Amino acid sequence: MIVDSHTHVFPPEIIARRQEYLARDAWFGRLYANPKARMATAEELISSMDAAGVDVAVTFGFGWGDPGLCRLANDYTAEAIRTHAGRLAGFAVVNPASRDAEAEIARSAGLGLAGIGELMPEGQGYSLGDADLLAPTLEAARSLGWPVLVHVCEPVGHEYPGKGSPSLDGVVRLAGRFPETTLILAHWGGGLPFYELMPEVRAALANAFYDTAASPLLYDDAIFRVAAELAPGRILFGTDYPLLGQKRMLERVRSAGLGEAALREMLGGTAVRLLGLEEPRVA
Ligand SMILES: [Zn+2]
């Protein structure tokens, strides 16, 4: 089973009124000001999955600052997973800095969503090192058995819209304080697999997973093999669709020189276990 653990969808009405939302949310404005930054509906995601041979995708909206827009996004994600039962799992976008976060997590659980993400610390106005602010959200996730997907980026290297100023130290401290909450650190966790060679970092991140979202925009493909060795069984194939195409990204992972077992783990095995996914029924 091939699982893309990191995809974004938008309701058609937000895509149609993109200009308005660019002004309404500064972080969204930064990421989507370029007209080439693609936005996709759930139907487009499903078409892409069919073309690429992706069985299941984990999908979610944009991590808006405004809790009202988060609710709108979650309603759309919930509708999409109902319409495409067995093909999509949904995460809830929430802003942990808003008072509304816990209520929205509970409401999203009622809608059938299965995790939280993608948190956008910089855009939503907090830092990943702010464990007190994040505590209610991470506790709510733990009590539901939900993973929390967090946008993490590299403290070195080139600039790009949405890079932000990451605190890998903050991520490690956060994971250490909430060891029972499963974190998924997007975009290879900003390079944290390497720091897992330090025993105390490895211990703090024992319950953390990484995804491969946007990898070709950031790293050489050697990272698939190297990271699989550093964090075996804790890497989820994710594209950041529609930022990157699923078909092309799958080809890259498949030709990255991974052993067969490691490849199967990365492309779906780990996600199936983590999210309790079921094999989709063949039509
Ligand atoms: Zn993303």
Side-chain angles (χ1 to χ4, degrees), residues 91-109:
F91 281 3
V93 287
V94 297
N95 184 352
S98 86
R99 267 175 301 175
D100 188 63
E102 279 169 276
E104 183 55 11
I105 291 166
R107 193 185 76 91
S108 299

Side-chain angles (χ1 to χ4, degrees), residues 192-204:
L192 279 172
F194 170 74
Y195 290 104
E196 287 207 27
L197 294 169
M198 298 169 75
E200 72 274 30
V201 174
R202 186 163 64 240

Side-chain angles (χ1 to χ4, degrees), residues 6-8 60-61 118 120 149 151 186-187 211 213 240-241 243:
H6 189 139
T7 69
H8 293 271
F60 32 87
E118 180 179 9
M120 287 292 191
L149 169 66
H151 179 84
H187 323 294
D211 79 28
D240 229 341
Y241 172 89
L243 178 67

Side-chain angles (χ1 to χ4, degrees), residues 146-266:
W146 280 11
V148 181
L149 169 66
V150 183
H151 179 84
V152 186
C153 46
E154 318 68 45
V156 294
H158 67 276
E159 270 306 316
Y160 50 87
K163 176 157 178 158
S165 41
S167 163
L168 297 190
D169 185 46
V171 176
V172 174
R173 278 186 282 114
L174 190 71
R177 175 158 159 196
F178 300 97
E180 288 171 26
T181 303
T182 301
L183 297 178
I184 303 172
L185 309 174
H187 323 294
W188 298 114
L192 279 172
F194 170 74
Y195 290 104
E196 287 207 27
L197 294 169
M198 298 169 75
E200 72 274 30
V201 174
R202 186 163 64 240
L205 295 174
N207 195 24
F209 290 72
Y210 299 98
D211 79 28
T212 70
S215 186
L217 301 176
L218 305 168
Y219 295 89
D220 290 346
D221 285 353
I223 194 163
F224 294 107
R225 196 169 30 76
V226 172
E229 200 171 311
L230 293 168
R234 291 189 289 122
I235 299 168
L236 304 161
F237 171 70
T239 56
D240 229 341
Y241 172 89
L243 178 67
L244 289 180
Q246 293 177 309
K247 192 162 190 269
R248 179 79 189 96
M249 180 90 170
L250 263 178
E251 284 164 7
R252 293 182 85 121
V253 180
R254 284 185 171 127
S255 51
L258 286 159
E260 205 181 309
L263 183 65
R264 228 179 306 122
E265 265 303 303
M266 193 182 289

Side-chain angles (χ1 to χ4, degrees), residues 58-106:
V58 180
T59 198
F60 32 87
F62 181 78
W64 300 101
D66 176 352
L69 289 179
C70 288
R71 281 196 293 276
L72 192 83
N74 296 335
D75 285 339
Y76 180 69
T77 302
E79 184 193 314
I81 62 170
R82 276 196 303 274
T83 308
H84 304 284
R87 298 299 303 283
L88 299 178
F91 281 3
V93 287
V94 297
N95 184 352
S98 86
R99 267 175 301 175
D100 188 63
E102 279 169 276
E104 183 55 11
I105 291 166

Side-chain angles (χ1 to χ4, degrees), residues 11-33:
E13 59 267 30
I14 290 192
I15 297 176
R17 288 157 61 198
R18 176 174 178 146
Q19 285 305 323
E20 198 180 303
Y21 288 95
L22 291 177
R24 200 159 150 186
D25 184 294
W27 198 246
F28 177 75
R30 288 255 286 269
L31 268 76
Y32 290 89

